[in-house]
Amino acid sequence: MCPCLHSFVCAYAISGNLTREKMRFCSARYQGRQISLLAALLVIAQSVAFTAAVSSSLLKRDVAAAAAASNAETMQNLSTHILDTTRGRPAPDVPVTLYVQSAAQSWTKVGTGITDADGRFRAFFAVGQPGLAKGVYKLHFEVGSYFRSRAVDSLYPFVEIVFKVQDPTQHYHIPLLLNPFGYSTYRGS
């Protein structure tokens, strides 16, 4: 078997789609010059698909490792999610700000962002900034702009959820279930 075709057949075999018997048959037919161009192209195409799958897997692993390294530097132990219960859909593009309460009972801004297409936001802390510590926090949701952008009248220009962190080693997920004339929250997971 020529070295090029042999490497493609071996890659195909590694993927688990080619048995030894099929490999021997393919090799014997190739050596007998009876292998068709179509069969050779099929082996090549499936080998390319296998290589793409391996490359994609390696890329996902590298992205996950980078995210883990970033999380090691910054503990993102807070997330939120807004669900518009009237529409039964996530609420994207809502500005969200996190505040921490000081000993003097004043509020200090910690981080801010905008909910994504899935209505979620997780990156309240900058790289190197510690995550939640024990204390009292407030999430401020600018929901008025969300409703105005949809031409919906709403009672609430903003919603604030105050919560207490007792164990900063845990993850705190604070969702907001929202409609124009009511809202609810709970501690999610």
Side-chain angles (χ1 to χ4, degrees):
M1 184 180 291
C2 81
C4 294
L5 184 59
H6 182 264
S7 64
F8 282 117
V9 170
C10 288
Y12 185 51
I14 291 168
S15 73
N17 295 325
L18 185 65
T19 63
R20 274 190 188 179
E21 291 77 27
K22 287 181 183 175
M23 213 168 140
R24 280 192 208 119
F25 175 76
C26 184
S27 177
R29 292 203 59 192
Y30 177 78
Q31 288 173 352
R33 304 277 190 242
Q34 295 176 6
I35 191 168
S36 70
L37 178 60
L38 183 59
L41 290 175
L42 177 63
V43 169
I44 292 169
Q46 289 178 339
S47 297
V48 168
F50 173 72
T51 302
V54 169
S55 296
S56 174
S57 175
L58 292 174
L59 178 62
K60 287 178 186 174
R61 184 197 68 197
D62 291 346
V63 168
S70 175
N71 283 342
E73 294 174 13
T74 302
M75 187 173 168
Q76 296 290 344
N77 56 349
L78 174 65
S79 60
T80 191
H81 180 217
I82 306 174
L83 178 65
D84 182 339
T85 58
T86 302
R87 296 174 51 233
R89 311 263 316 143
D93 304 318
V94 177
V96 184
T97 304
L98 175 66
Y99 295 90
V100 64
Q101 190 176 43
S102 70
Q105 305 300 309
S106 62
W107 295 101
T108 303
K109 184 165 102 172
V110 175
T112 190
I114 298 175
T115 57
D116 62 16
D118 195 31
R120 297 178 185 274
F121 186 71
R122 298 174 183 87
F124 288 99
F125 306 99
V127 174
Q129 184 181 13
L132 294 174
K134 282 187 177 184
V136 177
Y137 293 84
K138 172 173 67 174
L139 282 174
H140 177 94
F141 300 89
E142 284 291 331
V143 298
S145 60
Y146 169 77
F147 286 120
R148 278 191 304 280
S149 71
R150 284 157 181 72
V152 173
D153 288 331
S154 172
L155 181 62
Y156 307 106
F158 61 88
V159 172
E160 291 185 333
I161 301 172
V162 178
F163 61 100
K164 181 169 65 172
V165 172
Q166 294 180 350
D167 183 357
T169 64
Q170 293 185 6
H171 181 82
Y172 287 78
H173 181 66
I174 311 294
L176 174 62
L177 304 177
L178 178 68
N179 70 62
F181 300 102
Y183 65 89
S184 178
T185 188
Y186 59 94
R187 180 170 179 194
S189 57

